[in-house]
Amino acid sequence: MPSAVLPGRRLLSAVDDLFDRVYGSARNPMYQSGTIAVALLLVVLVTGLWLLLFYRLSAPWASVERITTDPWTGAWVRALHRYASDGAVVAALVHFLRIFLQRRTWGPRTLAWVTGVALFGILVFSGVTGFILVWDTFGRSLAVEGARILDALPILSEPIGRTFVGERPVPGTFFFLTLFLHITVPLGLGLLFWLHVSRLSRPATLPPRPVLWGVIGLLLAAAILAPPGLDPEGSAFTLPSRFTLDWFYGGWWPLTTQLTPALVWGAAAALLLLLLAVPRLTRLPEAERPPSVVDAGICVGCWQCSWDCPYDAITMVPRSDGRADVVAQVDPARCVSCGICAGSCAPMGVGPAGRTGRDQLMQVRDFLAAPERRAGEVVAIVCAAGAGAHSAALMAGGAALYPVDCAGNLHTSVVELLVRGRVGGVLVLPCPLRDCRHREGAKWLEQRMYAGREAELQARVDRRRVAIQGVGAGDLDGARRALAEFSAQVAALEGPGAELEGEVGASCDTPAAVGGGAG
């Protein structure tokens, strides 16, 4: 499966790049697919409550017809309800595809993947029951096919399918039960959604306002200008010549009608098992990396690593060594070894093995000591999941590459030490803010570099020789453009960076002298 993911990732990167060109990375709806799905479900909830006021269990199709023919209080609301429901499926599928292709499904993320599968199942079930409540030819066809599949299970004393053969009118209790399921089952979305984001710090639940109102406005315009029609009333005595198939919720119907119930259940079980196995099948080598550890002797209890951790894996606990303050503690079950805590720790007392701030200082010194280094050259620090895909082009453009797993792991001391090493400038190319592999790595890096967040880049560093530009894996032109513009900016300066005063040392007071520190 990992090899099959690569073509999909290339296609996803190309689509991301296209949307970046049109909307910009901050408003790219592809990066907001999960939050767009949540927003559309809220639209479905509000419009559904309104439609419920006019729905009649005793005459389902006739009441929907009255709603559809009322241009002021019914037609556009029903259309918005329908289009938002379809849009929620599209957004959820895009979100699923992104997470799968980016292989963010294993380890502590497994819970989010499994609950996401359950959330999507509830979404589809709720949509199917909604179409059945309309009781047009399409809704009745879904009910009949669903009954045929369910009747293969020995759970009811009387087959459900007998309800629709026409020997007696469809009882009102059927519509009452369907309405009950349509309303109450989605209530489980709340609990599942809480579980879905329970291992995230500061989970985003809604997209940025421009994206939110843009999506809702587009659907509202479609609802007013092109509302969906209504098929004839479903009847056991009328063979429908055609009906309007909603592919988002009824796309399974043409397939299952050609299969026996046993094959349908077998295929459904196989698909479910495959989806549940995805976390195991898509594990990356980094899944074997150890979680972050804390050097309690260095930790000053500043809380910064706990605040910055995107997965709520670090808590502050009372010390056991007799000192009065607190110390950071990592929960290995929640840590994904992203290393963002290492970038946030000014005294360099926390991080995964081999990627702490002190480890990074050793590595950058080796980098600067390499014989191929040239005074005045531009160093491009690239994220493995983003600009790392453009390494060859950046090197061809004259940059020296310094790869990192995630820009959020980058300690600002690395940038300072590079400038001290007489390079011309340091161009950091993280993933776009809204598409960071570890959620907030690019965000915290930018704040440490320019906004004075703890473990900040020190004021003595010439900001003219430092730049940040978010670049996705599909944005080759953006990477080249960023390098060309920054190289021209550096070339306009006089020679390589001037020698800075002072040492690269800890910017926080520590209990003992520490070799290396925040930039």
Side-chain angles (χ1 to χ4, degrees):
M1 180 174 288
S3 60
V5 168
L6 293 178
R9 288 188 65 177
R10 296 190 188 100
L11 178 60
L12 178 64
S13 296
V15 174
D16 286 345
D17 181 40
L18 175 62
F19 276 76
D20 276 345
R21 294 171 184 267
V22 176
Y23 300 103
S25 62
R27 299 180 180 181
N28 187 337
M30 291 292 291
Y31 301 154
Q32 303 292 333
S33 52
T35 56
I36 288 175
V38 174
L40 292 180
L41 287 175
L42 292 177
V43 174
V44 171
L45 174 63
V46 173
T47 53
L49 290 174
W50 174 259
L51 294 174
L52 186 61
L53 299 175
F54 304 96
Y55 186 76
R56 298 292 178 266
L57 291 172
S58 58
W61 184 86
S63 62
V64 175
E65 183 185 34
R66 285 194 297 272
I67 292 172
T68 305
T69 55
D70 185 343
W72 299 106
T73 61
W76 68 270
V77 178
R78 174 177 175 252
L80 182 58
H81 186 74
R82 165 79 172 271
Y83 292 153
S85 300
D86 290 344
V89 170
V90 174
L93 286 175
V94 171
H95 186 59
F96 256 116
L97 188 63
R98 292 192 71 84
I99 298 300
F100 171 72
L101 293 178
Q102 294 175 346
R103 297 171 73 175
R104 292 187 287 164
T105 59
W106 47 267
R109 300 180 179 97
T110 301
L111 177 64
W113 175 264
V114 172
T115 53
V117 171
L119 285 168
F120 187 76
I122 290 177
L123 173 62
V124 173
F125 176 83
S126 300
V128 170
T129 55
F131 278 105
I132 292 175
L133 287 171
V134 177
W135 205 243
D136 57 0
T137 50
F138 174 55
R140 183 182 181 279
S141 297
L142 292 180
V144 171
E145 178 61 13
R148 184 182 76 91
I149 296 171
L150 288 173
D151 284 342
L153 301 177
I155 55 177
L156 296 175
S157 59
E158 182 176 347
I160 304 173
R162 293 187 58 182
T163 306
F164 312 119
V165 298
E167 62 182 12
R168 59 181 183 271
V170 178
T173 52
F174 168 76
F175 295 106
F176 173 79
L177 179 60
T178 303
L179 180 62
F180 177 80
L181 293 174
H182 183 64
I183 294 175
T184 57
V185 169
L187 295 179
L189 288 172
L191 176 59
L192 277 175
F193 184 74
W194 175 79
L195 288 173
H196 188 62
V197 300
S198 62
R199 294 198 167 187
L200 302 179
S201 301
R202 301 166 295 278
T205 55
L206 291 175
R209 288 185 180 180
V211 177
L212 172 65
W213 295 118
V215 171
I216 294 177
L218 182 63
L219 293 179
L220 182 59
I224 295 174
L225 299 176
L230 181 64
D231 287 345
E233 184 175 9
S235 171
F237 303 105
T238 302
L239 184 63
S241 58
R242 64 172 183 83
F243 56 74
T244 306
L245 178 66
D246 185 286
W247 286 96
F248 300 104
Y249 291 97
W252 52 272
W253 185 90
L255 178 62
T256 61
T257 53
Q258 307 301 315
L259 303 175
T260 64
L263 284 176
V264 173
W265 283 112
L271 177 61
L272 178 60
L273 290 175
L274 179 62
L275 290 173
L276 295 180
V278 162
R280 172 62 62 178
L281 297 175
T282 59
R283 284 171 65 89
L284 289 166
E286 65 190 60
E288 308 303 327
R289 290 178 178 171
S292 291
V293 293
V294 178
D295 187 332
I298 296 176
C299 177
V300 296
C302 68
W303 291 75
Q304 195 63 50
C305 62
S306 178
W307 291 331
D308 285 3
C309 178
Y311 302 101
D312 206 17
I314 303 179
T315 55
M316 306 303 293
V317 298
R319 287 183 175 272
S320 59
D321 56 5
R323 289 163 55 187
D325 52 357
V326 293
V327 65
Q329 183 179 74
V330 178
D331 182 353
R334 301 178 74 102
C335 180
V336 301
S337 195
C338 66
I340 288 178
C341 55
S344 70
C345 183
M348 305 183 185
V350 63
R355 288 184 290 151
T356 66
R358 286 187 287 176
D359 294 322
Q360 293 180 45
L361 287 183
M362 294 172 59
Q363 293 159 7
V364 76
R365 288 188 175 106
D366 291 340
F367 174 83
L368 289 170
E372 62 268 22
R373 295 284 71 78
R374 295 177 290 106
E377 67 183 343
V378 170
V379 176
I381 300 179
V382 296
C383 266
H390 316 306
S391 296
L394 293 170
M395 293 177 66
L401 287 188
Y402 191 87
V404 294
D405 292 322
C406 176
N409 174 233
L410 180 68
H411 204 284
T412 56
S413 290
V414 170
V415 176
E416 177 174 345
L417 200 54
L418 286 170
V419 175
R420 286 175 177 272
R422 308 289 286 173
V423 304
V426 179
L427 175 63
V428 188
L429 298 174
C431 296
L433 282 175
R434 298 280 178 176
D435 194 41
C436 177
R437 184 180 188 177
H438 296 301
R439 297 185 58 237
E440 296 175 326
K443 174 183 175 182
W444 296 148
L445 170 69
E446 184 171 322
Q447 292 195 17
R448 292 176 201 135
M449 297 279 275
Y450 295 114
R453 193 175 185 85
E454 186 65 38
E456 71 277 13
L457 184 64
Q458 296 298 295
R460 57 180 174 252
V461 178
D462 187 354
R463 293 305 193 277
R464 297 175 302 169
R465 298 186 181 276
V466 179
I468 299 177
Q469 177 63 55
V471 173
D475 191 7
L476 174 59
D477 290 341
R480 285 173 170 162
R481 185 168 55 253
L483 176 60
E485 292 175 355
F486 183 66
S487 297
Q489 173 184 321
V490 169
L493 303 175
E494 294 183 4
E499 186 66 30
L500 304 178
E501 296 181 1
E503 298 295 327
V504 181
S507 63
C508 289
D509 293 332
T510 57
V514 179

